[in-house]
Structures are given as structure tokens and as C-alpha cells.
Amino acid sequence: MSLILNLETSTKNCSVCIAKNGTCLTCVEENSEEYIHSEKLHTFIQYAINISGIHIKDLKSICVSKGPGSYTSLRIGASSARGLCSALNIPLLSVDSLTVMSYKINIKKGFLIPMIHAKSNFFYISLFNESKERLNPIRIKKLDDNFFESFSRYNKVYFVGNIPINNRKIFLGKNEFLYKTPSAMDMSYISYKKFSEKKFHDIEKFIPFYL
């Protein structure tokens, strides 16, 4: 049995999940207008453990979202994960936030572009096909007409992300847009698969992917 604590702190959504063998038991999260991770993350971890009816020493691993995303929030998540792994003597896992965001978005045909707001009109993006295979590495792009032209050769494109309201109008008439923020709940099976394959990190050397 694998009980894994998943932490997602790449955006304003402070998210914690306890998963058993790839299935979410409990998820505690708050998508605030402010970055509340320093205040709420450890409280949410304790809530999730209590609600799940487990003891913290039952955990077999901790998986943290490594980014890209907010520098400070990622650092808080990584520090918490490293500290708990060291204290409990359990291995550390990680997954990038764009993979987390894409995991439960199922499309029959076409391409999926997950996006996380960086600053101003710039976004972290990647490109996946309908089989969730990554076709392009994670990069940062400006959201303008040139952005859409770069994907015009694809027949059907699904954009998914935490796009601020004032930026969403640019998507009108351009394929499909789905609003979504990364959640620890969506890490449940990904972290279980990585745990089964023993894709662990050196706790002392692990740093988030700040791009």
C-alpha cells in the first residue's frame, strides 16, 4: 500500500492531497486572490492527514509540484516537502505543474496546451497530443496574435489554464479554452506511478523548476 502526500503550490491555489495507491482520499485546497501558502500549507497538510484517518508516519512518499509557477510559492512547497521527507525518512517525488494541469483533460483528437500565468501577458506553456505525450518542452511565451499564429498549423487546439479574466477575450473564436488551476488531487495517479517506478529525487539537491 502506498500512501502519498501530494503538494501543489505553483499558483495561487494552495492544494494538498492524500492518495492511496493512486486514488485521492482527501483533498484540501484554497484558490485565494493572494498567495497564502506560507500561512496555510502546513495547516492544510494536518487537515488532510486528520480527515484521512491516517498517521503522518504512514506516509510512504511526498510528491511536490516542481513548477513552473510562482517562485516564492514553489520554494515554500519544495521546502515543506524536503523537510517532511527528511523528518520521516521517506523518498521525494516531483511532477511539473503543466503535466498536473493536463492530466484529467481528455480530448479525442487534437492538441492540448496547458498555460500558467507568469506575469503581465507572459505564460508558461507546453504542448501535448491527445495521448498526453509532450511534444514541446516547457517555455515562456507572450500571449498575443503571434502566439496563436505559432499554433495555426494544428487542426484543433485546446488551451487550458489559469488565464486572468482580462486576457480571456483574446481566445474568442480561437479553438477552445478551459479555465483550470493545478490541483494536488490531479497528482494522485501520477505520483503513484512515479513511486512504483522509484523515480525519486536526492532530497538535499532538489530545487523547483523556476524556468
Side-chain angles (χ1 to χ4, degrees):
M1 180 182 70
S2 66
L3 282 168
I4 297 175
L5 170 65
N6 297 291
L7 307 178
E8 223 302 333
T9 63
S10 63
T11 65
K12 292 181 179 180
N13 190 32
C14 182
S15 185
V16 173
C17 161
I18 302 286
K20 177 181 177 181
N21 297 338
T23 300
C24 177
L25 298 179
T26 303
C27 182
V28 180
E29 60 185 3
E30 182 177 342
N31 192 1
S32 170
E33 288 301 312
E34 305 295 332
Y35 288 97
I36 60 171
H37 306 77
S38 61
E39 303 168 17
K40 299 289 186 74
L41 182 59
H42 285 282
T43 300
F44 286 2
I45 291 171
Q46 191 60 58
Y47 282 166
I49 289 171
N50 292 343
I51 295 169
S52 300
I54 67 170
H55 192 281
I56 193 169
K57 292 184 179 179
D58 295 330
L59 294 173
K60 301 301 181 184
S61 180
I62 295 173
C63 183
V64 64
S65 174
K66 66 182 179 181
S70 163
Y71 175 89
T72 301
S73 298
L74 289 172
R75 183 172 53 81
I76 291 169
S79 296
S80 297
R82 288 199 307 262
L84 286 169
C85 283
S86 295
L88 298 171
N89 194 27
I90 56 177
L92 174 67
L93 300 163
S94 78
V95 58
D96 73 85
S97 47
L98 295 175
T99 293
V100 174
M101 183 181 288
S102 305
Y103 180 67
K104 287 190 177 179
I105 305 295
N106 295 313
I107 58 175
K108 292 183 179 180
K109 189 175 182 180
F111 299 90
L112 180 64
I113 298 177
M115 309 170 65
I116 289 179
H117 187 228
K119 61 180 181 178
S120 186
N121 287 333
F122 289 89
F123 292 80
Y124 303 111
I125 72 165
S126 191
L127 176 69
F128 295 83
N129 63 17
E130 64 266 23
S131 300
K132 304 295 176 62
E133 296 172 327
R134 174 171 271 132
L135 304 179
N136 282 346
I138 297 172
R139 50 189 172 164
I140 191 166
K141 294 277 286 184
K142 186 177 183 180
L143 186 59
D144 55 17
D145 289 337
N146 292 330
F147 172 83
F148 292 102
E149 288 177 8
S150 65
F151 298 106
S152 61
R153 66 184 182 276
Y154 301 116
N155 293 328
K156 183 68 173 179
V157 178
Y158 298 83
F159 299 95
V160 54
N162 65 333
I163 313 299
I165 293 175
N166 61 331
N167 292 108
R168 294 181 203 175
K169 59 183 181 294
I170 198 172
F171 287 90
L172 294 175
K174 300 181 186 299
N175 292 288
E176 293 192 27
F177 169 71
L178 302 170
Y179 181 81
K180 184 175 177 61
T181 56
S183 170
M185 183 184 299
D186 297 335
M187 296 169 64
S188 299
Y189 182 74
I190 304 172
S191 60
Y192 172 67
K193 190 171 185 293
K194 285 179 172 284
F195 180 82
S196 300
E197 296 171 352
K198 300 185 185 306
K199 293 185 175 181
F200 306 132
H201 292 284
D202 183 320
I203 296 172
E204 298 300 323
K205 295 181 179 179
F206 175 78
I207 57 173
F209 177 51
Y210 296 122
L211 197 64

